């Protein structure tokens, strides 16, 4: 008998009805029940403690609101989710046996449905877990998943004893109801070891969101006050009565909104020029940008491809390095989601239609690391120069360059040579054959370019971070002794040695 992820047996008779649909009243209502305005550190701390103790509904609502109101976090989280959902899926048969291939082909018919629901399953990234109900179709001869319905995580709770087993909230049972095996896809995507409710990105990002709200509120208040001119009412000491002062005060107040007032001739109001408070807004802006960078590191594992950079600009070379870190996170996300789908959907699907089998087909999300095509071209070029045969068909497919049609004009200075024909080079296409010096110069340029690109990447980053020419000059002076020149020196030494040997060969051949 097939068991679910909690070790409970799957019973087909229990899978025929929809279980966790929303209700107008009760614990599975769709309305928000918690006021999350004016959140302060004490209230947030209590909310997080309650989430891991017995009631996570307020925390889960906060996680949902953050995806609506904290724009930076929402964008980064969506990027993390779509990085996985955009990967093409495949079904790998358990073996080359005819029956295993037949099972894999049947399972493959549900891949499109699974991929369409993957974004909702990846909701676990933010909240720590996600729940998807499988609505089975029994209209035909075979069991098939008709729909994969996302279920609100507030409608579920963790077992009070182990804190790991998920149960469905109930109006009649305080401890909730056990989930029917084979009916739900429960995906855990913990950012750290421990309880799932403490593993979501929202738990760490909520502090940044709260502090950013404080900074934004203070900044808006400052802008509101700074945008209004100072109204200064003057009166003669000893001559103004309380009634006169009341009139003057009301006039000064009304000028803040109406910009109009009526005064006796004995009174006057001045609008002295206010000196601009330089740098005041930078305090709040710096805090908000700092918090956003920390959220980028939390969700994506890096900041360079998520933002324009701390100095106002990014570096393409460094962006590639940071993307490698993000690729590592993507690989882990893809493996985790595929494992959940294999356990909670693929295995029950096969079991319900084919019974128990020795091995099950595998749902896989293949993450392929992008190749450095420039480096690959250099390897091919060197291999060809050394006599290594390279298939033109492979080269064409690898780099996406279509092979020319018969008789079609081609780029380059070598005529196409049919198979078996004598290899002759047309003098018309070779006005000048490169000598040893030209070949060595081209090789030196090619070998030295990566080292020069490294220098340029570091210098570009300094330019991005510098706020003045003097600042850049100081940064460049400090970094100059640290710029590595060993690779460039080695390339130059090798080229000079090669040119020396070529010259000696030419002299000896001429003699």
């Amino acid at each position: 008998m097939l068991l679910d992820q909690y070790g409970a047996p799957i019973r087909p008779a229990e899978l025929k009805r929809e279980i966790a649909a929303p209700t107008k009243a009760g614990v599975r209502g769709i309305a928000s029940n918690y006021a999350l305005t004016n959140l302060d550190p004490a209230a947030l701390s209590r909310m997080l403690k309650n989430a891991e103790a017995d009631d996570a509904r307020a925390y889960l609502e906060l996680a949902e609101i953050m995806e609506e109101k904290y724009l930076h976090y929402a964008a980064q989280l969506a990027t993390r989710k779509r990085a996985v959902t955009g990967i093409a899926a495949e079904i790998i048969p358990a073996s080359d046996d005819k029956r295993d291939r037949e099972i894999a082909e049947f399972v493959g018919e549900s891949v499109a449905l699974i991929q369409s629901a993957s974004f909702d399953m990846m909701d676990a990234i933010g909240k720590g877990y996600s729940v998807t109900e499988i609505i089975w179709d029994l209209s035909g001869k075979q069991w098939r998943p008709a729909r994969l319905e996302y279920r609100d995580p507030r409608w579920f709770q963790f077992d009070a004893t182990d804190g790991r087993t998920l149960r469905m909230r109930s109006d009649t049972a305080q401890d909730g109801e056990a989930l029917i095996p084979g009916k739900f896809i429960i995906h855990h995507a913990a950012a750290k070891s421990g309880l799932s409710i403490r593993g979501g990105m929202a738990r760490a990002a909520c502090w940044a969101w709260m502090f950013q709200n404080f900074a934004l509120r203070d900044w808006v208040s400052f802008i509101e006050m700074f945008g209004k001119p100072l109204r200064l009412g003057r009166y003669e000491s000893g001559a103004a009565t309380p009634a006169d002062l009341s009139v003057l005060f009301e006039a000064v107040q009304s000028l803040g909104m109406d910009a109009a007032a009526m005064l006796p001739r004995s009174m006057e109001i001045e609008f002295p020029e206010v000196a601009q408070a330089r740098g005041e807004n930078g305090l709040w802006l710096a805090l908000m940008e700092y918090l956003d960078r920390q959220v980028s590191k939390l969700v994506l594992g890096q900041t360079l491809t998520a933002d324009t950079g701390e100095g106002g600009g990014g570096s393409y070379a460094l962006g590639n390095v940071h993307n490698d870190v993000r690729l590592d996170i993507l690989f882990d996300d893809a493996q985790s989601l595929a494992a959940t789908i294999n356990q909670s959907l693929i295995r029950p699907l096969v079991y319900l239609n084919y019974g128990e089998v020795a091995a099950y087909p595998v749902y896989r999300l293949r993450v392929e690391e992008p190749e450095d095509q420039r480096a690959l071209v250099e390897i091919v070029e060197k291999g060809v120069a050394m006599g290594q045969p390279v298939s033109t068909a492979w080269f064409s497919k690898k780099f996406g360059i279509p092979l020319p049609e018969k008789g079609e004009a081609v780029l380059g200075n070598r005529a196409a040579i049919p198979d078996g024909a004598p290899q002759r080079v047309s003098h018309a296409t070779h006005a000048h054959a490169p000598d040893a010096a030209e070949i060595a110069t081209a090789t030196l340029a090619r070998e030295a370019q990566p080292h020069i690109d490294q220098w340029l990447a570091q210098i570009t980053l300094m330019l991005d971070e510098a706020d003045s020419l003097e600042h850049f000059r100081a940064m460049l002076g400090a970094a100059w002794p640290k710029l590595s020149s060993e690779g460039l020196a080695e390339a130059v030494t090798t080229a000079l040695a090669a040119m020396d040997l070529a010259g000696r060969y030419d002299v000896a051949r001429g003699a």
Side-chain angles (χ1 to χ4, degrees), residues 52-283:
E52 65 180 278
D54 57 357
D55 191 356
R57 284 174 290 183
Y59 162 69
L60 293 171
E61 285 193 12
L62 173 64
E64 191 74 17
I65 288 174
M66 285 170 56
E67 292 189 49
E68 297 171 355
K69 295 186 176 180
Y70 188 4
L71 303 184
H72 184 80
Y73 170 73
Q76 306 299 66
L77 196 60
T79 298
R80 173 85 175 263
K81 294 178 183 179
R82 290 191 171 92
V84 175
T85 58
I87 302 173
E90 58 183 348
I91 301 294
I92 310 299
S95 71
D96 289 333
D97 182 77
K98 180 180 179 181
R99 179 175 170 81
D100 285 339
R101 292 200 306 269
E102 176 190 335
I103 293 174
E105 184 177 350
F106 169 74
V107 172
E109 296 174 5
S110 300
V111 166
L113 177 65
I114 296 171
Q115 287 197 291
S116 67
S118 294
F119 184 84
D120 289 334
M121 295 180 199
M122 291 301 294
D123 190 50
I125 295 291
K127 301 180 178 72
Y129 70 96
S130 67
V131 181
T132 304
E133 183 174 356
I134 306 171
I135 310 300
W136 292 101
D137 178 16
L138 305 178
S139 59
K141 295 181 179 180
Q142 294 176 307
W143 290 72
R144 296 177 184 272
R147 304 194 319 273
L148 298 176
E149 291 288 348
Y150 170 81
R151 297 308 188 195
D152 194 320
R154 296 176 301 166
W155 301 345
F156 302 85
Q157 65 189 77
F158 286 98
D159 183 87
T161 302
D162 62 20
R164 298 180 182 277
T165 304
L166 206 63
R167 302 174 66 87
M168 187 169 67
R169 292 190 179 277
S170 170
D171 293 316
T172 57
Q174 183 178 359
D175 294 334
E177 301 174 3
L179 299 182
I180 294 178
K183 189 61 178 166
F184 295 95
I185 301 172
I186 303 170
H187 181 49
H188 298 271
K192 55 183 282 296
S193 301
L195 300 177
S196 290
I197 197 62
R198 300 187 63 173
M201 296 291 174
R203 189 176 177 94
C206 63
W207 292 100
W209 181 64
M210 182 186 65
F211 291 129
Q212 192 177 82
N213 276 344
F214 289 159
L216 183 60
R217 183 183 61 190
D218 293 343
W219 193 7
V220 170
S221 298
F222 168 78
I223 293 172
E224 183 180 12
M225 294 301 298
F226 185 73
K228 295 179 180 179
L230 175 65
R231 290 93 65 196
L232 180 61
R234 296 184 182 275
Y235 63 92
E236 294 184 10
S237 179
T241 65
D244 293 337
L245 296 179
S246 178
V247 170
L248 179 60
F249 184 72
E250 289 182 7
V252 171
Q253 276 193 317
S254 64
L255 280 171
M257 297 176 291
D258 303 330
M262 296 178 64
L263 296 172
R265 290 185 182 274
S266 59
M267 298 179 183
E268 72 175 295
I269 295 180
E270 296 181 4
F271 294 86
E273 182 179 354
V274 181
Q276 184 175 2
R278 295 183 179 179
E280 290 290 342
N281 63 333
L283 297 175

